[in-house]
Amino acid sequence: MRPFSARPVRSPRLLAGLVCTLSTAVLPTASATNAADAADVPPVRYVALGDSIASGVGAGDYDAASGNCLRSRHSYPQLWTDSHQVAAFTSAACSHATTQDVIDKQLGKLSRDTTLVSITAGANDVSFGETMATCTAGTDKACLDKIHAAEAAIRDRLPKALSATYRAIGAKAPKARVTVLGYPRLFTTGGACLFGLSTTKREAIDEAADQLNAVTERAARQRGFAFGNAARAFTGHEICAKDAWIHSVRLLALEESYHPTEQGYESGYLPTLSAVTGP
């Protein structure tokens, strides 16, 4: 019987070459994997819809071409676009817009190629601006009467209006991810406020804002849309807080009253949208 003998050991250099060849043949390179992943992600084609919050009223630096819509270069849709890779961006948002205005005047910017839509709308449907004007200049009773009327509209009319708006968005942009952003609470009950806004008024206004957000979130989720809770991001930065991100009454720019400041859009709304869409 021939004695057992081990097979000769191959050259380390030869073995290293063999391993390298096999790994190259079997495993894709990191760059190839990244390229493949990138190819699977469609380019972002973003359309922003909604009211004065979506257009950025309060932030200043308005695009003259937007006219009375007051679309700011510091609006949350523009800030999000500036911080992401976006193939196309259009903002149709306009100050004073109602949900019906969104349907009638803004949805023409959507298409089957749209991949991302954001919207803030609903406050004008329930005359929130008029309510704030009454609460600023009127008595507690006048303010509460106006708030109760707004709450009735939030409860009885707004759900149907929001549902119709979201349905229309889905029909015009069936491939898009849609994010609905709500509204901040306007006041903290501590601190000192001007223009006669008592604690009674502030608490009632905030309660109405909570109801507005709850109805908006419910309508969005029923449609399968994401919802961004802006009120959470603004906590501790409401009017009357030491570091407020919301304007109180602005006598020289009344349209900016009770809207976020530039800091509010950057530190409140932008993180809210980014948390839903991803980095």
Side-chain angles (χ1 to χ4, degrees), residues 32 82 136 149 190 217 228 234 242 253:
D82 292 344
T136 300
E217 179 176 8
F234 277 83
K242 184 177 181 180

Side-chain angles (χ1 to χ4, degrees), residues 191-221:
C193 281
L194 302 177
F195 302 104
L197 287 173
S198 64
T199 298
T200 297
K201 291 179 179 180
R202 284 181 260 163
E203 289 178 345
I205 290 166
D206 284 347
E207 184 177 342
D210 290 343
Q211 294 180 29
L212 175 60
N213 283 325
V215 167
T216 302
E217 179 176 8
R218 184 160 55 249
R221 297 199 185 283

Side-chain angles (χ1 to χ4, degrees), residues 99-193:
T99 55
Q100 192 60 50
D101 290 329
V102 172
I103 293 173
D104 294 342
K105 303 175 183 179
Q106 299 184 18
L107 296 193
K109 300 297 184 181
L110 300 177
S111 73
R112 296 185 67 85
D113 293 330
T114 303
T115 64
L116 177 64
V117 176
S118 67
I119 178 171
T120 300
N124 292 320
D125 290 64
V126 300
S127 302
F128 215 80
E130 295 177 18
T131 299
M132 291 309 304
T134 298
C135 288
T136 300
T139 63
D140 281 6
K141 183 180 184 307
C143 175
L144 293 178
D145 287 346
K146 197 72 173 176
I147 289 173
H148 292 156
E151 290 173 334
I154 291 170
R155 181 182 63 250
D156 300 334
R157 299 198 307 270
L158 188 59
K160 183 177 180 180
L162 290 172
S163 179
T165 304
Y166 300 158
R167 184 169 58 251
I169 291 172
K172 292 285 288 185
K175 301 177 183 178
R177 292 181 300 154
V178 181
T179 298
V180 178
L181 275 70
Y183 298 89
R185 296 179 118 223
L186 292 182
F187 296 96
T188 181
T189 54
C193 281

Side-chain angles (χ1 to χ4, degrees), residues 2 14 43 118 264:
R2 296 179 58 186
L14 179 60
S118 67

Side-chain angles (χ1 to χ4, degrees), residues 18 32 51 78 106 124 132 187 240 247 262:
L18 179 60
D51 57 21
Q78 186 64 63
Q106 299 184 18
N124 292 320
M132 291 309 304
F187 296 96
C240 304
H247 292 294
E262 181 181 341

Side-chain angles (χ1 to χ4, degrees), residues 76 80 83-84 116 177 179-181 221 226-230 232-233 266-279:
Y76 74 76
W80 191 93
S83 60
H84 290 76
L116 177 64
R177 292 181 300 154
T179 298
V180 178
L181 275 70
R221 297 199 185 283
F227 179 79
N229 187 348
R232 184 177 297 120
E266 181 177 349
S267 300
Y269 267 102
L270 176 58
T272 300
L273 178 57
S274 297
V276 177
T277 61

